[in-house]
Amino acid sequence: MQDIIHIDMDAFYAAVEQRDFPQYRNKPVVVGGDPDKRGVVATCSYEARKFGIHSAMPCARAMRLCPNAIFVRPRFELYRQISQQIRDVMFSYTDLVEPLSLDEAYLDVTQCKRSFGSPTLVAKAIKNDIKQVTGLTASAGISYNKFLAKIASDLDKPDGLTLITEKQGSEFVKQLSIGKFHGIGPATESKMQDLGIYTGADLLAWNLEELKSIFGKVSDYYYHAARGLDHRKVVSHRQRKSIGSEKTYNEDVGDIKEMLLRLENLAEEVWQDLSGKHMTARTVTVKVKFDNFVQVTRAVTLANDISKLGDITASLQDLLYKADVEGRRVRLLGVSVSKLTLLEQVDEEQLSLL
Amino acid sequence: MQLSITREVLLKPLQQIIGAVERRQTMPALSNLLIRGGDQNLSITATDLEVELVASLDMEIEDHGATTIPARKLLDICRSLPDQAKIAINSSNEKIKVSSGRSRFTLATLPADDFPTIDDLELDQNVLIKEGEFKALIEKTAFAMAQQDVRYYLNGLLLELDAGQIRTVATDGHRLALSQLDHKSDIEGSRQIILPRKGVQELLRLLSNEENEITVSIGKNHLRVNLANLQFTSKLIDGRFPEYQRVLPEESDNRAKIDKVSLKQALARASILSNEKYKGIRLILDNNIMVIQAHNPEHEEAEDEIEIEYTGERLEVGFNVVYLLDVLNAIESDKVEVIIQDANSSALIVSPESQASRYVVMPMRL
């Protein structure tokens, strides 16, 4: 059995801003895009959450909910630095750290570098260290797998510390509402509710074959999660699966040629990112969000690895048509590449003429 | 409109202009051909809004008129009919009938008025040139054009004209091809236009090596070439081509005279070990010998040696083997001259007989 800790920083970006600007403390702070344009909330302080503001909400809406909120633009470079400090703390306890984002990570402390007697005490020590180094609070969930550790960290936020033991695990999952399962978003949630699955206990009544006929290959995860089981390992140095760029426009775009042009610009950014990382890819994906917020993606897997910008741009027109954009208006366009492989470091370099 | 035509008479112009019809279009009319029948003349137009090709045929036509017809379907029908078949084309309002012997097709049509033609054509300069000479100028340099480069002005061929010369220049940023022809015209000063890649490729397909004179007309935004039974029109790339004169290398004493065929064969052998990503080969020039080395990430190695005329200093330079082979394929003479300063500077490759075409290739750092 493993000892897994899930660490989740409390309102990370907003907490950083409140730390650096004392005048923001105890006030609703929203970190995100420009409310006058189409920015969305990245994070908001707990004071702002009382007004119903949450992340991914359009800033304009947040402003209506709480006109007195302090809106600030994110300082990602700083957040990244702080995130690195936090990771350094974690790595001093174990090498098995799997960051999920700047403010969240799984740790496998089964083989902890320092002995504390229990994983709960390890989590407590990590939280203390993070507070010492960054001045910020984190919530920790401790359990015997990733699924439960993540749920546990959310139970007592902010500055929480929650343990779900092996004995409690399966009982705990039974009463858990299905939307709280990590990996079950609103769409799957409503699909499950249509089937009469509202809690872990309801899910427990379904066997694997029944689930598979409806949900496909993710069913394994649901089936085991309902039993409080999760066999996923904590993987440090998680490999990137895709590289992409997308943009929400100030005004919707209706002209196909213009869309193509914008996709080409995004493709150029993706290509620079890809080649800068000395990687190559096989699959090109175009993402389109229409003015009615319906989002579609269309992908093509190429016969050969991408070796130049043209390999990406050559597919864009086709994919755009496949997304059925004709006669419609879009608010967001995105390009990404996946099936990444690291290029063998070729130590030859073509010199440039111009 | 009604007309009757022999398969071969229709097939040739269709094949010549079909390249302008893109497989995917933004407008339905662009997958069609515009067919216009006059007194003694039938014209067929294909366009992708950038390149427009018009074929004209002398023939009797009953009922003048204009219509459009699905391009690829008409071509496929013509292709699949037997040799010398007589084809009858009949257009009424919304349908067009194509029949030959016992084969009959009814195809959808779109109004001729919906068919886009290139307008705002302001051609202000005509140049008369022999068809074969014009073709050679383009052929000798077109291979070096960039492909979908973000520097959009490189995705085409520079045509530079002054009172005494016509030059074509193409570069993708790693290599450059320049070809010039002494040709008198009434152009004042010098004029530069960039013909887009697609236009270059279509034009090359249309031009033959004939001695007859053709008219090349240039405007601010367009280039038009009138051939015997074909008219080619292309939009131009609106951009500034790099100052190519600056990248032509300086003179150097390190000049090698090499038999073209031997070099080509040796490079082709060495390139067996190169792959999509790894195209570097090493040339070592020393005292009348050139050693060609190739190796790849799997640590396989190739080495070849040829005799050359070379008395300059010992040089070791890396190149993309594809760039070298492209140049050797464009040069016609039996020998080539390679002029290199050092491993970090561009190399000049020419025919020893004439410097009308010059090729510049930048080395690789291996």
Side-chain angles (χ1 to χ4, degrees), chain B residues 159-177:
Chain B
L159 197 62
E160 190 178 51
L161 308 98
D162 56 38
Q165 268 192 341
I166 302 181
R167 278 175 292 274
T168 57
V169 186
T171 179
D172 64 3
H174 298 318
R175 35 87 180 260
L176 177 141

PDB file of all heavy atoms in Angstrom, chain B residues 159-177:
ATOM      1  N   LEU B 159      11.294  37.971 -60.271  1.00  0.00           N
ATOM      2  CA  LEU B 159      11.575  38.251 -61.671  1.00  0.00           C
ATOM      3  C   LEU B 159      12.041  39.699 -61.698  1.00  0.00           C
ATOM      4  O   LEU B 159      11.312  40.598 -61.277  1.00  0.00           O
ATOM      5  CB  LEU B 159      10.294  38.063 -62.480  1.00  0.00           C
ATOM      6  CG  LEU B 159      10.391  37.909 -63.980  1.00  0.00           C
ATOM      7  CD1 LEU B 159      11.193  36.673 -64.337  1.00  0.00           C
ATOM      8  CD2 LEU B 159       8.987  37.787 -64.572  1.00  0.00           C
ATOM      9  N   GLU B 160      13.286  39.901 -62.148  1.00  0.00           N
ATOM     10  CA  GLU B 160      13.839  41.251 -62.140  1.00  0.00           C
ATOM     11  C   GLU B 160      14.191  41.629 -63.565  1.00  0.00           C
ATOM     12  O   GLU B 160      14.894  40.888 -64.254  1.00  0.00           O
ATOM     13  CB  GLU B 160      15.081  41.294 -61.245  1.00  0.00           C
ATOM     14  CG  GLU B 160      15.583  42.691 -60.994  1.00  0.00           C
ATOM     15  CD  GLU B 160      16.792  42.688 -60.055  1.00  0.00           C
ATOM     16  OE1 GLU B 160      17.744  41.938 -60.328  1.00  0.00           O
ATOM     17  OE2 GLU B 160      16.772  43.431 -59.076  1.00  0.00           O
ATOM     18  N   LEU B 161      13.671  42.757 -64.001  1.00  0.00           N
ATOM     19  CA  LEU B 161      13.891  43.155 -65.388  1.00  0.00           C
ATOM     20  C   LEU B 161      14.481  44.550 -65.445  1.00  0.00           C
ATOM     21  O   LEU B 161      14.075  45.436 -64.684  1.00  0.00           O
ATOM     22  CB  LEU B 161      12.562  43.171 -66.157  1.00  0.00           C
ATOM     23  CG  LEU B 161      11.695  41.919 -66.103  1.00  0.00           C
ATOM     24  CD1 LEU B 161      10.602  42.062 -65.073  1.00  0.00           C
ATOM     25  CD2 LEU B 161      11.086  41.639 -67.458  1.00  0.00           C
ATOM     26  N   ASP B 162      15.475  44.748 -66.315  1.00  0.00           N
ATOM     27  CA  ASP B 162      15.884  46.105 -66.644  1.00  0.00           C
ATOM     28  C   ASP B 162      16.097  46.167 -68.160  1.00  0.00           C
ATOM     29  O   ASP B 162      15.801  45.207 -68.872  1.00  0.00           O
ATOM     30  CB  ASP B 162      17.119  46.538 -65.834  1.00  0.00           C
ATOM     31  CG  ASP B 162      18.300  45.615 -66.002  1.00  0.00           C
ATOM     32  OD1 ASP B 162      18.507  45.134 -67.140  1.00  0.00           O
ATOM     33  OD2 ASP B 162      19.024  45.360 -65.021  1.00  0.00           O
ATOM     34  N   ALA B 163      16.611  47.292 -68.631  1.00  0.00           N
ATOM     35  CA  ALA B 163      16.667  47.488 -70.078  1.00  0.00           C
ATOM     36  C   ALA B 163      17.505  46.429 -70.785  1.00  0.00           C
ATOM     37  O   ALA B 163      17.279  46.128 -71.952  1.00  0.00           O
ATOM     38  CB  ALA B 163      17.217  48.877 -70.381  1.00  0.00           C
ATOM     39  N   GLY B 164      18.477  45.846 -70.092  1.00  0.00           N
ATOM     40  CA  GLY B 164      19.385  44.927 -70.766  1.00  0.00           C
ATOM     41  C   GLY B 164      19.298  43.479 -70.324  1.00  0.00           C
ATOM     42  O   GLY B 164      19.862  42.596 -70.969  1.00  0.00           O
ATOM     43  N   GLN B 165      18.612  43.193 -69.219  1.00  0.00           N
ATOM     44  CA  GLN B 165      18.631  41.830 -68.672  1.00  0.00           C
ATOM     45  C   GLN B 165      17.304  41.431 -68.037  1.00  0.00           C
ATOM     46  O   GLN B 165      16.539  42.289 -67.571  1.00  0.00           O
ATOM     47  CB  GLN B 165      19.716  41.725 -67.586  1.00  0.00           C
ATOM     48  CG  GLN B 165      21.060  41.272 -68.113  1.00  0.00           C
ATOM     49  CD  GLN B 165      22.004  40.896 -66.972  1.00  0.00           C
ATOM     50  OE1 GLN B 165      21.813  41.287 -65.831  1.00  0.00           O
ATOM     51  NE2 GLN B 165      23.029  40.132 -67.298  1.00  0.00           N
ATOM     52  N   ILE B 166      17.087  40.132 -68.019  1.00  0.00           N
ATOM     53  CA  ILE B 166      16.001  39.577 -67.202  1.00  0.00           C
ATOM     54  C   ILE B 166      16.658  38.587 -66.247  1.00  0.00           C
ATOM     55  O   ILE B 166      17.499  37.784 -66.661  1.00  0.00           O
ATOM     56  CB  ILE B 166      14.956  38.824 -68.047  1.00  0.00           C
ATOM     57  CG1 ILE B 166      14.366  39.757 -69.106  1.00  0.00           C
ATOM     58  CG2 ILE B 166      13.839  38.280 -67.160  1.00  0.00           C
ATOM     59  CD1 ILE B 166      13.309  39.097 -69.968  1.00  0.00           C
ATOM     60  N   ARG B 167      16.306  38.672 -64.976  1.00  0.00           N
ATOM     61  CA  ARG B 167      16.873  37.750 -63.990  1.00  0.00           C
ATOM     62  C   ARG B 167      15.753  37.055 -63.223  1.00  0.00           C
ATOM     63  O   ARG B 167      14.713  37.663 -62.965  1.00  0.00           O
ATOM     64  CB  ARG B 167      17.738  38.512 -62.975  1.00  0.00           C
ATOM     65  CG  ARG B 167      19.136  38.823 -63.433  1.00  0.00           C
ATOM     66  CD  ARG B 167      19.854  39.690 -62.404  1.00  0.00           C
ATOM     67  NE  ARG B 167      19.260  41.017 -62.357  1.00  0.00           N
ATOM     68  CZ  ARG B 167      19.609  42.027 -63.166  1.00  0.00           C
ATOM     69  NH1 ARG B 167      20.557  41.855 -64.066  1.00  0.00           N
ATOM     70  NH2 ARG B 167      19.014  43.181 -63.065  1.00  0.00           N
ATOM     71  N   THR B 168      15.984  35.796 -62.865  1.00  0.00           N
ATOM     72  CA  THR B 168      15.102  35.129 -61.913  1.00  0.00           C
ATOM     73  C   THR B 168      15.945  34.767 -60.696  1.00  0.00           C
ATOM     74  O   THR B 168      17.109  34.385 -60.832  1.00  0.00           O
ATOM     75  CB  THR B 168      14.486  33.845 -62.490  1.00  0.00           C
ATOM     76  OG1 THR B 168      15.549  32.975 -62.907  1.00  0.00           O
ATOM     77  CG2 THR B 168      13.569  34.136 -63.663  1.00  0.00           C
ATOM     78  N   VAL B 169      15.360  34.915 -59.506  1.00  0.00           N
ATOM     79  CA  VAL B 169      16.075  34.597 -58.269  1.00  0.00           C
ATOM     80  C   VAL B 169      15.105  33.877 -57.340  1.00  0.00           C
ATOM     81  O   VAL B 169      13.951  34.284 -57.209  1.00  0.00           O
ATOM     82  CB  VAL B 169      16.590  35.868 -57.547  1.00  0.00           C
ATOM     83  CG1 VAL B 169      17.453  35.487 -56.348  1.00  0.00           C
ATOM     84  CG2 VAL B 169      17.355  36.778 -58.493  1.00  0.00           C
ATOM     85  N   ALA B 170      15.588  32.804 -56.710  1.00  0.00           N
ATOM     86  CA  ALA B 170      14.773  32.116 -55.709  1.00  0.00           C
ATOM     87  C   ALA B 170      15.671  31.759 -54.542  1.00  0.00           C
ATOM     88  O   ALA B 170      16.841  31.428 -54.728  1.00  0.00           O
ATOM     89  CB  ALA B 170      14.156  30.843 -56.295  1.00  0.00           C
ATOM     90  N   THR B 171      15.123  31.850 -53.338  1.00  0.00           N
ATOM     91  CA  THR B 171      15.895  31.448 -52.163  1.00  0.00           C
ATOM     92  C   THR B 171      14.951  30.995 -51.059  1.00  0.00           C
ATOM     93  O   THR B 171      13.838  31.507 -50.944  1.00  0.00           O
ATOM     94  CB  THR B 171      16.789  32.587 -51.630  1.00  0.00           C
ATOM     95  OG1 THR B 171      17.486  32.128 -50.467  1.00  0.00           O
ATOM     96  CG2 THR B 171      15.987  33.824 -51.275  1.00  0.00           C
ATOM     97  N   ASP B 172      15.412  30.019 -50.279  1.00  0.00           N
ATOM     98  CA  ASP B 172      14.626  29.607 -49.114  1.00  0.00           C
ATOM     99  C   ASP B 172      15.339  29.988 -47.825  1.00  0.00           C
ATOM    100  O   ASP B 172      14.995  29.522 -46.748  1.00  0.00           O
ATOM    101  CB  ASP B 172      14.350  28.098 -49.159  1.00  0.00           C
ATOM    102  CG  ASP B 172      15.618  27.283 -49.073  1.00  0.00           C
ATOM    103  OD1 ASP B 172      16.716  27.867 -48.919  1.00  0.00           O
ATOM    104  OD2 ASP B 172      15.536  26.039 -49.168  1.00  0.00           O
ATOM    105  N   GLY B 173      16.357  30.816 -47.957  1.00  0.00           N
ATOM    106  CA  GLY B 173      17.071  31.251 -46.759  1.00  0.00           C
ATOM    107  C   GLY B 173      18.312  30.413 -46.470  1.00  0.00           C
ATOM    108  O   GLY B 173      19.193  30.828 -45.729  1.00  0.00           O
ATOM    109  N   HIS B 174      18.412  29.235 -47.089  1.00  0.00           N
ATOM    110  CA  HIS B 174      19.595  28.397 -46.914  1.00  0.00           C
ATOM    111  C   HIS B 174      20.418  28.325 -48.188  1.00  0.00           C
ATOM    112  O   HIS B 174      21.603  28.082 -48.162  1.00  0.00           O
ATOM    113  CB  HIS B 174      19.206  26.972 -46.528  1.00  0.00           C
ATOM    114  CG  HIS B 174      18.468  26.890 -45.239  1.00  0.00           C
ATOM    115  ND1 HIS B 174      18.817  27.610 -44.137  1.00  0.00           N
ATOM    116  CD2 HIS B 174      17.376  26.164 -44.887  1.00  0.00           C
ATOM    117  CE1 HIS B 174      17.981  27.335 -43.157  1.00  0.00           C
ATOM    118  NE2 HIS B 174      17.085  26.476 -43.584  1.00  0.00           N
ATOM    119  N   ARG B 175      19.733  28.457 -49.320  1.00  0.00           N
ATOM    120  CA  ARG B 175      20.415  28.427 -50.611  1.00  0.00           C
ATOM    121  C   ARG B 175      19.698  29.406 -51.530  1.00  0.00           C
ATOM    122  O   ARG B 175      18.557  29.798 -51.265  1.00  0.00           O
ATOM    123  CB  ARG B 175      20.434  27.020 -51.206  1.00  0.00           C
ATOM    124  CG  ARG B 175      19.221  26.119 -50.970  1.00  0.00           C
ATOM    125  CD  ARG B 175      18.125  26.196 -51.856  1.00  0.00           C
ATOM    126  NE  ARG B 175      17.031  25.310 -51.559  1.00  0.00           N
ATOM    127  CZ  ARG B 175      16.791  24.153 -52.161  1.00  0.00           C
ATOM    128  NH1 ARG B 175      17.626  23.677 -53.055  1.00  0.00           N
ATOM    129  NH2 ARG B 175      15.705  23.471 -51.890  1.00  0.00           N
ATOM    130  N   LEU B 176      20.421  29.776 -52.599  1.00  0.00           N
ATOM    131  CA  LEU B 176      19.856  30.764 -53.509  1.00  0.00           C
ATOM    132  C   LEU B 176      20.226  30.380 -54.931  1.00  0.00           C
ATOM    133  O   LEU B 176      21.325  29.887 -55.193  1.00  0.00           O
ATOM    134  CB  LEU B 176      20.404  32.149 -53.153  1.00  0.00           C
ATOM    135  CG  LEU B 176      19.993  33.338 -54.046  1.00  0.00           C
ATOM    136  CD1 LEU B 176      19.757  34.574 -53.187  1.00  0.00           C
ATOM    137  CD2 LEU B 176      21.045  33.665 -55.101  1.00  0.00           C
ATOM    138  N   ALA B 177      19.294  30.589 -55.863  1.00  0.00           N
ATOM    139  CA  ALA B 177      19.564  30.334 -57.270  1.00  0.00           C
ATOM    140  C   ALA B 177      19.287  31.609 -58.038  1.00  0.00           C
ATOM    141  O   ALA B 177      18.290  32.284 -57.796  1.00  0.00           O
ATOM    142  CB  ALA B 177      18.684  29.198 -57.782  1.00  0.00           C
TER     143      ALA B 177
END
